[in-house]
Structures are given as C-alpha cells and as structure tokens.
Amino acid sequence: MFKNKHNKKKFGVFTAILLSLVLIAGILAFYFNIYPGGYSIKENSEEVTVLKNNFLKNGEKLTFTVSEENELKLTLLKNEVNQLISMWLVSLLGISSLLIVLVNNVQRKGNYVFIIASVLIVILIPLVIYVYNSNLYNIEQLIKDLRI
C-alpha cells in the first residue's frame, strides 16, 4: 500500500550503475577490442593481421598474406570475430536488462515477471557462456588452419 521511497531510490542507483558499467564495457569492446577473447582484425589489400589482446600482457600478433587458397578462411575468420564482438555486446545488454528487471521486482517475489526473469537468467547465462566459448574455439581453429 505504502511505497518505500528509499528502496526505489536504491534500485534506481543500481540501475544507473549497471547501465553505466554496460555502456563502458560496450565502448571498450567496440572501439578498443577489450572483451573476453579480445580478437581484432586489421586488413589491407595484401595481408590480414589478427591481434589477440590480453589484459595482463601484450597480445599475440599474427599476419597472413591474402591468397586464393586462404581468402575464404580469412573472410570466415573476420566474420567470426565480428560475431564474437556482437555476441558479447548483446549478452551484456540482455543479461543486464534481466538483472534490472530482477532487482526492480525483488520485493514482489511471487510476481510472474520476477519468476520469468529468474528462469531466463538461469537458462541464458550457461547457454551464452557455452556459445561464446564455442565461437572462441572456432576462431582458434581457423587461426590454426591458416598457420599450416
């Protein structure tokens, strides 16, 4: 009946902090290639350079010359890296949106919105981790095939 303004203010602060963290992580991933995996591709007409950035040390730099034999693999590698960055951004937005819904509905635990958001988070987090790791594995396999 009576709403507690203090709790609503606390949830608003959590939402603002979470959204600003997601925004910062998105900017770091999109512009500076700082995300789990950290692959980036730079290309010119004759060669493609693949950079793997690590947080703690300088990354690995691989350069491949473009030829008829490996052109398709290089295109696939570029597509996989773009897909990995997109998946990271979408999973950040999706999971943070569900967390905001959970926090805003935590007082009404019997509410269907709270239950659905809880179930979605429990299902989505392992699924996103699995798909993300499989994409990383695909990228590493493509790089391994290009080295040969």
Side-chain angles (χ1 to χ4, degrees):
M1 199 142 136
F2 296 106
K3 292 186 178 181
N4 190 352
K5 291 181 182 180
H6 184 270
N7 284 340
K8 193 168 189 170
K9 187 175 183 180
K10 188 165 87 172
F11 295 142
V13 169
F14 173 78
T15 302
I17 290 172
L18 187 63
L19 287 177
S20 58
L21 288 176
V22 167
L23 182 66
I24 290 169
I27 289 171
L28 288 175
F30 192 73
Y31 291 109
F32 301 110
N33 294 317
I34 298 175
Y35 63 96
Y39 285 101
S40 64
I41 293 183
K42 295 180 181 176
E43 60 182 329
N44 58 27
S45 61
E46 298 172 358
E47 60 185 20
V48 174
T49 303
V50 179
L51 300 168
K52 181 176 181 181
N53 299 327
N54 293 328
F55 293 118
L56 301 176
K57 58 183 178 178
N58 286 339
E60 186 178 356
K61 181 178 180 179
L62 303 167
T63 303
F64 303 105
T65 56
V66 178
S67 65
E68 286 185 22
E69 295 85 27
N70 67 0
E71 187 175 5
L72 187 60
K73 287 182 183 179
L74 288 171
T75 304
L76 184 60
L77 179 64
K78 182 180 176 186
N79 185 39
E80 288 284 332
V81 169
N82 289 337
Q83 182 180 0
L84 189 69
I85 293 171
S86 299
M87 181 180 291
W88 172 248
L89 294 174
V90 168
S91 63
L92 270 177
L93 291 173
I95 292 174
S96 64
S97 299
L98 288 173
L99 283 174
I100 289 170
V101 168
L102 276 177
V103 168
N104 288 332
N105 290 308
V106 75
Q107 303 247 334
R108 299 176 272 165
K109 290 185 181 175
N111 189 356
Y112 289 116
V113 174
F114 180 81
I115 294 170
I116 291 171
S118 301
V119 169
L120 282 175
I121 282 184
V122 168
I123 292 171
L124 282 180
I125 288 178
L127 184 64
V128 166
I129 290 171
Y130 174 75
V131 172
Y132 197 83
N133 283 333
S134 68
N135 276 359
L136 279 174
Y137 178 76
N138 288 342
I139 290 172
E140 290 170 3
Q141 285 301 111
L142 281 169
I143 290 173
K144 185 178 176 182
D145 289 345
L146 284 167
R147 284 183 179 175
I148 295 175

